[in-house]
Amino acid sequence: MAKGRVRLFPERCKACGLCIEFCPKDVLGFDEETINMLGYHPIKDLKPESCTGCAICAVVCPDLVIEVERV
Amino acid sequence: MDRVLMKGNEALAEGAILAGCRGFFGYPITPSSEIAEYMARKMPKIGGVFVQAESELAAINMVYGGAATGARVMTASSGPGLSLKQEGISFIAEAELPCLIVNISRGGPGLGGIQPAQSDYFQATRGGGHGDYHTIVLAPSGSQEMMDFAIEAFELADKYRIPVMIMAEGTLGNLMEPIVMREPVLNKVDKPWAISGCQGRKPNIINTLHLGSEELENRNLHLANKYKLIQAQEKRAESYLVEDAELVVVAFGIMARIVKKAVVEARKRGIKAGLVRPITLWPFPDEDLRQAAEHARLFLSVEISMGQMIQDIQLALAGRVPVEFYGRIGFTPNPEEILQEIIRLAAREGL
Amino acid sequence: MKKVFQRPESLTEARNHYCPGCSHGIIHRLLAECMDEMNIREKTIGICPVGCSVLAYDYFNCDMLEAAHGRAPAIATAIKRLLPDRYLFTYQGDGDLASIGMAEIVHASARGEKITVIFVNNTLYGMTGGQMAPTTLLGQVTTTSPYGRKVENEGYPMKMAELLSSNEGSAYICRTAVNNPANINRTKRAIKKALQVQEKGLGFSMVEILSACPTNWGLSPVEALKWMENNMIPYYPLGEFKVKED
Ligand SMILES: Cc1ncc(C[n+]2csc(CCOP(=O)(O)OP(=O)(O)O)c2C)c(N)n1
Ligand code: SF4
Ligand code: SF4
Ligand code: SF4
Ligand SMILES: [Mg+2]
């Protein structure tokens, strides 16, 4: 089981990509299927099982899209 | 009543303190500096704040911040200093923060001179900075009024949430006169809009930015309505011998005292002269002028400027009576030269 | 599962208007986290500038006042003097603080005003469309230095942290960057230290934060952070410049 879990608020995401760049486990990616109300493909957890709950993604996100939980 | 001898500038400063002013922010400039010096001595002793700012820009913004806390705060300056303060006054007017701004006025333009002048009339009565706004402008004409109007200014400022200006010539600031000391103002005005930390309530925001067209127009309509209310309620003037006057002289501040002497002398010579002294320069007491115009054949505006208030007189009379002008700058017109002007005009008009 | 990261209470739920990848959002959050951790939200008054962060009054969940361009330190001075037990912060851009507001910031620091200044240095005027600022780097192209900033024409970029640290009234002056997670965490520690210096009444405190403006730099958010590391940090060294001990 994953050690961490991200809770996303995709409607706030501006697809800047900083969380993707800095996530050490490549958990995150853009959701190419969706366009949010801001007009972006928002963030999605593509590999949730790899998340360690390190919260780096949330620390670099300028838009408070991500909450992080850890076991 | 006990009377004390006080200089105009000190009477004004003491009046402000009696009104509960506990913050003074200023930058030295003649002839207003005595007010700052008085406050520098007094404020620390009464638990108030005195800061000599790095410029008038900083000083007026300190007033902006101070007023935002709900405290009664003020600044005083002159000429070029008032020009620098205009940015801040515009913000304060828009944010609807009560405060007192004093102009102990001197002659311009540019660095001008330190002689008393009334040439900041347009700046004071038209808002002065950018945007559609007004400040209430009070023009005292003696030490007693310097004190009284300082108290009244704070009351008006709180009543309407508006910056109030006292405009007084340098002469008034220096004039030593016996005055009756006023009682301290004790009632506190509730200011639920003030910023003081949001303990136990929702955060308060003081801002002047309105990006939406509708929001901006609504703000301006709100302010315009407030100004209309003030115009309806707060116009003030002193009328002297106007009931039967054929020649009405209009003058404010120290100039009105000098004109009064000339009017008395003119009466002795059989000329039916009278005087209207606007006390509020904004709102301008146009109704008092129209009343005085009943029997008048001629108006004369006497100003220590090249002619500014004359425009308000003309607006008030709307062409019903012609308006002449007599003014100087660098010098304050004396009673004799005003009398001569009255005699000359009376002869010309056959009064 | 326990929450290890969530929105700080000192920020409202409003979505910010900043461009994708703009550092303002991160810096807002760091300041708000410090306010939460010190439990001072209800005793804090913030002054926001004119600049891209002019709407910060909608984002901070505390009493806020919006200043005229550059005047925030004068406003904060008066509020702090009248309400000495409150926490005062100003939030200012480099045009706001280092150009039009130069006199206000230098004198607030010289007087040792017990306020905390969050200084967001993104090397240009973001809000008005990317014009040159006093902090624009040599050679940097902006809309008003279209051939690149030249010493002969525009002089040298100003180092505000160094300049203000020479004032006796400055109690804590630090420069940080938000180009990677480690530096973001350092920035948060610096902001907290600055607020603690204010709490102890030691004097003026400022954290200069090197920040990204991807939009006006013409770079992607990720490239912007690299540009910051390669161009800004060498000219604007990070670290503490003044630490007054109690
Ligand atoms: C007196 C005045 N002059 C000019 C402006 C226009 N103006 C608005 S923001 C700004 C520059 C902001 O740049 P900065 O402080 O670096 O903030 P940023 O947007 O980069 O965060 C200018 C010049 C103004 N609002 N007021
Ligand atoms: S918490 Fe860490 S591992 Fe999980 S998504 Fe965020 S950065 Fe990646
Ligand atoms: S950092 Fe935030 S805004 Fe940027 S892509 Fe990730 S979740 Fe979206
Ligand atoms: S213009 Fe620059 S500073 Fe302004 S919001 Fe966009 S990225 Fe941020
Ligand atoms: Mg900038």
Side-chain angles (χ1 to χ4, degrees), chain B residues 79-269:
Chain B
L82 258 294
S83 292
L84 278 183
K85 285 187 199 292
Q86 295 307 322
E87 177 200 61
I89 298 174
S90 171
F91 277 72
I92 292 169
E94 211 293 330
E96 296 192 272
L97 298 181
C99 63
L100 170 60
I101 298 153
V102 178
N103 181 358
I104 303 297
S105 56
R106 58 189 256 176
L111 202 47
I114 58 169
Q115 295 86 353
Q118 300 179 326
S119 45
D120 296 345
Y121 180 92
F122 282 150
Q123 185 198 55
T125 58
R126 268 63 181 165
H130 58 288
D132 276 314
Y133 75 91
H134 283 287
T135 59
I136 294 176
V137 185
L138 303 174
S141 75
S143 285
Q144 184 71 57
E145 283 187 347
M146 290 290 256
M147 174 170 283
D148 295 351
F149 287 7
I151 297 170
E152 211 159 321
F154 276 111
E155 297 290 318
L156 285 168
D158 278 344
K159 181 171 173 195
Y160 294 103
R161 288 190 61 182
I162 190 172
V164 177
M165 180 176 286
I166 291 180
M167 191 158 94
E169 307 79 26
T171 344
L172 274 181
N174 277 317
L175 202 64
M176 197 60 130
E177 288 187 302
I179 63 166
V180 178
M181 282 296 269
R182 294 275 303 265
E183 295 294 315
V185 177
L186 297 173
N187 62 312
K188 285 259 181 297
V189 182
D190 197 28
K191 299 181 181 178
W193 44 262
I195 52 166
S196 54
C198 62
Q199 197 135 31
R201 60 163 168 78
K202 281 208 181 114
N204 282 339
I205 296 172
I206 290 177
N207 78 308
T208 67
L209 178 71
H210 308 287
L211 287 171
S213 310
E214 220 168 293
E215 186 189 334
L216 182 64
E217 184 166 54
N218 284 338
R219 274 304 293 172
N220 274 276
L221 286 171
H222 165 75
L223 290 177
N225 285 334
K226 177 167 87 173
Y227 299 143
K228 272 187 206 138
L229 183 69
I230 294 170
Q231 281 178 311
Q233 296 187 336
E234 303 299 344
K235 288 173 187 167
R236 281 178 57 190
E238 176 197 346
S239 295
Y240 178 68
L241 301 179
V242 293
E243 290 73 19
D244 62 341
E246 294 179 333
L247 195 163
V248 177
V249 191
V250 186
F252 68 91
I254 189 82
M255 202 59 252
R257 286 171 69 159
I258 298 167
V259 165
K260 207 176 225 176
K261 287 190 189 136
V263 164
V264 170
E265 286 306 313
R267 285 270 171 178
K268 286 182 193 159
R269 286 164 174 75

Side-chain angles (χ1 to χ4, degrees), chain A residues 54-66:
Chain A
C54 68
I56 286 175
C57 54
V59 166
V60 299
C61 174
D63 290 279
L64 289 160
V65 178
I66 308 168

Side-chain angles (χ1 to χ4, degrees), chain B residues 87, chain C residues 24 50-52 69 93-96 100 122 124-128:
Chain B
E87 177 200 61
Chain C
H24 275 303
V50 179
C52 276
H69 197 17
D94 42 343
D96 194 82
I100 196 166
N122 58 12
L124 42 66
Y125 291 8
M127 188 198 207
T128 42

Side-chain angles (χ1 to χ4, degrees), chain C:
Chain C
M1 287 272 182
K2 75 168 194 300
K3 278 206 172 134
V4 290
F5 191 100
Q6 60 185 330
R7 182 181 61 79
E9 203 198 332
S10 294
L11 284 184
T12 66
E13 280 175 44
R15 218 189 336 244
N16 73 50
H17 69 286
Y18 301 115
C19 307
C22 173
S23 302
H24 275 303
I26 297 174
I27 297 165
H28 283 22
R29 194 194 69 231
L30 298 178
L31 174 55
E33 286 171 356
C34 293
M35 285 161 64
D36 276 16
E37 286 164 25
M38 291 173 70
N39 195 23
I40 59 172
R41 181 182 74 84
E42 294 184 324
K43 292 187 85 179
T44 298
I45 299 166
I47 317 295
C48 47
V50 179
C52 276
S53 48
V54 65
L55 293 173
Y57 53 75
D58 281 336
Y59 309 143
F60 286 102
N61 191 15
C62 62
D63 275 9
M64 294 290 296
L65 182 147
E66 175 241 322
H69 197 17
R71 317 288 174 230
I75 293 168
T77 292
I79 298 177
K80 183 73 183 191
R81 296 283 188 111
L82 285 157
L83 304 171
D85 66 338
R86 306 306 197 279
Y87 295 78
L88 262 294
F89 74 83
T90 72
Y91 187 105
Q92 302 180 258
D94 42 343
D96 194 82
L97 179 141
S99 194
I100 196 166
M102 181 55 98
E104 285 77 7
I105 193 70
V106 170
H107 285 275
S109 144
R111 288 191 302 263
E113 297 297 342
K114 297 167 190 75
I115 62 174
T116 296
V117 175
I118 307 299
F119 171 35
V120 179
N121 179 354
N122 58 12
T123 74
L124 42 66
Y125 291 8
M127 188 198 207
T128 42
Q131 295 84 5
M132 191 188 68
T135 45
T136 297
L137 295 171
L138 290 179
Q140 188 179 345
V141 171
T142 71
T143 58
T144 51
S145 56
Y147 307 109
R149 180 176 186 157
K150 293 193 188 68
V151 170
E152 314 85 72
N153 234 10
E154 292 94 9
Y156 295 91
M158 300 194 72
K159 299 183 173 182
M160 290 308 296
E162 286 84 338
L163 194 137
L164 293 181
S165 64
S166 71
N167 272 338
E168 280 307 320
S170 289
Y172 183 68
I173 304 285
C174 182
R175 186 186 286 120
T176 64
V178 287
N179 61 313
N180 60 42
N183 275 342
I184 291 173
N185 287 333
R186 281 190 198 105
T187 300
K188 180 174 167 184
R189 285 200 293 276
I191 294 173
K192 200 163 188 182
K193 203 160 167 182
L195 288 169
Q196 285 161 344
V197 160
Q198 178 179 171
E199 186 170 62
K200 289 181 193 149
L202 299 179
F204 176 87
S205 53
M206 181 181 83
V207 184
E208 173 175 346
I209 304 167
L210 305 186
S211 312
C213 174
T215 301
N216 287 302
W217 293 357
L219 299 171
S220 76
V222 172
E223 288 167 349
L225 296 185
K226 300 213 166 95
W227 189 88
M228 190 197 299
E229 181 172 344
N230 296 332
N231 298 278
M232 287 182 79
I233 295 178
Y235 187 82
Y236 294 116
L238 307 183
E240 294 181 326
F241 291 85
K242 183 86 175 269
V243 186
K244 200 179 264 183
E245 302 296 346
D246 44 335

